[in-house]
């Protein structure tokens, strides 16, 4: 105990607050006093009690995802985050806001991160893509730099009815690709892009085995719009095919195995879609390609 108190005293001295920057081994923490007194919930990892500032920084250092800490010296509480959230805070007195300097910023799911004054180079893990996010910030000379984040955009062998939040909003130039097979027994197989809930769909592409066609439609607040269809089922039962849905400024370009089958108008802003849902008998891979 005596040894630890001595070590803690040494770190307290070497990390004494002399400017807006404090160090903890290889991480440098920058204090942003203009954000003090706020409590953030976005990108939250964990909270620890009984932590002075030095211990709080060390806790962040020990977590490979941590890039930010909130420390409350009055209550000796420490909150760890995996990016530097600067929006959505709630007022709660006593919290002090520290972020890791850009030169040591660690992006969730990244294999490596290299930064300089003008750009960020990030190598993501397999199946993840580097996407800009509103909360993935770090500070360079007290100016927020959007670091983005490695987000999952590829799913291999997911469950039959697969539903997941979109890692980032879709936009013109994005593409959904699906390698899947249908058994022809179930009367419906589909790809959907819900908005908030299932009452609004930015896109529905459905294979209808009973009608022997493939159709496109959208739905707004429970009300269906005008349907477009392509007669003749373009899938062979239990044979894998590649479905592509390319997004332009005004249309969805829908093709199967390289052949265009439908062009559907964008009626609900595609940026509002927050989920993708796929229902096929066998799914080899689902991928989102962002521009």
């Amino acid at each position: 105990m005596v040894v630890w108190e001595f070590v803690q005293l040494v770190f307290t001295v070497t990390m004494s607050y002399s400017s807006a920057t404090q160090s903890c081994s290889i991480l440098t923490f920058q204090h942003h006093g203009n954000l003090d007194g706020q409590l953030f919930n976005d990108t939250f990892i964990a909270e620890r009690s009984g932590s002075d500032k030095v211990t709080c920084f060390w806790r962040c250092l020990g977590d490979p995802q941590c890039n930010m800490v909130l420390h409350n010296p009055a209550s000796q509480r420490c909150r760890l985050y995996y990016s530097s959230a600067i929006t959505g805070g709630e007022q709660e007195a006593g919290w002090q806001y520290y972020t890791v300097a850009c030169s040591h910023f660690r992006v969730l799911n990244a294999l490596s991160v290299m930064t300089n004054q003008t750009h960020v180079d990030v190598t993501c893990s397999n199946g993840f893509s580097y996407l800009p996010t509103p909360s993935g910030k770090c500070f360079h000379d007290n100016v927020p730099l959007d670091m983005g984040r490695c987000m999952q955009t590829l799913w291999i062998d997911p469950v039959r009815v697969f539903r997941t939040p979109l890692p980032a909003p879709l936009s013109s130039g994005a593409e959904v690709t699906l390698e899947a097979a249908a058994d022809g027994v179930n009367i419906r197989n589909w790809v959907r892009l819900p908005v908030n809930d299932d009452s609004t769909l930015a896109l529905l592409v459905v294979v209808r085995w009973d009608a022997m066609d493939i159709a496109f439609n959208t739905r707004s607040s429970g009300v269906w719009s005008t349907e477009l269809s392509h007669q003749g089922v373009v899938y062979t039962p239990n044979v894998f095919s590649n479905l592509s849905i390319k997004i332009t400024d005004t249309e969805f370009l829908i093709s199967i195995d390289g052949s265009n089958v439908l062009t559907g108008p964008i009626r609900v802003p595609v940026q509002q879609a927050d989920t993708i849902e796929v229902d096929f008998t066998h799914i080899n891979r689902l991928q989102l390609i962002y521009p």
Side-chain angles (χ1 to χ4, degrees):
M1 179 65 71
V2 174
V3 174
W4 166 242
E5 289 176 350
F6 173 75
V7 172
Q8 191 175 38
L9 175 61
V10 170
F11 279 120
T12 302
V13 171
T14 57
M15 297 173 62
S16 61
Y17 187 82
S18 59
S19 65
T21 304
Q22 300 184 42
S23 296
C24 179
S25 185
I26 62 170
L27 295 185
T28 299
F29 290 85
Q30 298 175 332
H31 181 209
H32 302 281
N34 60 314
L35 295 171
D36 285 352
Q38 297 186 70
L39 183 63
F40 297 90
N41 292 316
D42 188 32
T43 71
F44 174 69
I45 298 174
E47 179 172 323
R48 299 288 185 267
S49 60
S51 299
D52 59 20
K53 188 186 302 180
V54 178
T55 306
C56 190
F57 289 167
W58 274 106
R59 291 187 186 279
C60 186
L61 176 64
D63 190 306
Q65 297 180 354
C66 183
N67 292 298
M68 161 185 159
V69 300
L70 290 184
H71 180 249
N72 192 317
S75 60
Q76 292 290 282
R77 293 159 66 194
C78 171
R79 291 172 65 91
L80 309 181
Y81 297 81
Y82 62 77
S83 71
S84 305
I86 61 172
T87 60
E90 300 178 357
Q91 296 297 317
E92 184 171 324
W95 290 102
Q96 297 176 351
Y97 180 106
Y98 296 89
T99 63
V100 173
C102 290
S103 57
H104 293 135
F105 200 84
R106 299 179 292 189
V107 179
L108 183 67
N109 298 316
L111 296 177
S112 65
V113 181
M114 295 182 8
T115 64
N116 61 31
Q117 295 183 14
T118 58
H119 69 278
V120 181
D121 293 323
V122 178
T123 301
C124 296
S125 304
N126 185 38
F128 292 77
S129 298
Y130 181 66
L131 303 173
T133 61
S135 62
K137 308 282 186 181
C138 80
F139 285 81
H140 181 77
D141 292 335
N142 288 322
V143 176
L145 174 65
D146 190 347
M147 297 291 295
R149 195 177 307 155
C150 290
M151 303 293 286
Q152 187 168 6
T153 55
L154 172 65
W155 295 268
I156 303 295
D157 294 328
V159 295
R160 171 177 178 153
V161 182
F162 180 67
R163 183 182 176 103
T164 186
L166 291 171
L170 297 171
S171 62
S172 178
E175 181 179 6
V176 178
T177 64
L178 173 70
E179 182 184 357
D183 59 14
V185 176
N186 289 310
I187 61 174
R188 297 287 190 272
N189 299 102
W190 65 75
V191 177
R192 309 197 308 176
L193 294 176
V195 177
N196 294 325
D197 57 45
D198 289 346
S199 67
T200 297
L201 298 175
L203 169 137
L204 168 68
V205 175
V206 56
V207 178
R208 300 185 293 204
W209 295 93
D210 55 340
M212 295 297 289
D213 69 358
I214 181 170
F216 162 87
N217 209 344
T218 60
R219 185 168 65 194
S220 182
S221 299
V223 179
W224 288 104
S225 188
T226 302
E227 179 184 284
L228 301 174
S229 64
H230 174 94
Q231 294 301 311
V233 174
V234 291
Y235 278 89
T236 301
N238 299 311
V239 174
F240 283 93
S241 295
N242 292 292
L243 170 66
S244 167
I245 303 171
K246 295 182 179 179
I247 301 171
T248 72
D249 289 334
T250 58
E251 297 174 316
F252 296 100
L253 306 179
I254 303 165
S255 62
I256 297 178
D257 293 330
S259 297
N260 179 261
V261 294
L262 277 173
T263 298
I266 293 178
R267 299 166 178 151
V268 177
V270 69
Q271 294 85 353
Q272 294 180 8
D274 56 11
T275 306
I276 185 167
E277 181 181 277
V278 177
D279 183 347
F280 271 77
T281 312
H282 306 287
I283 302 173
N284 264 358
R285 58 184 284 138
L286 169 67
Q287 185 170 18
L288 302 176
I289 302 172
Y290 286 83

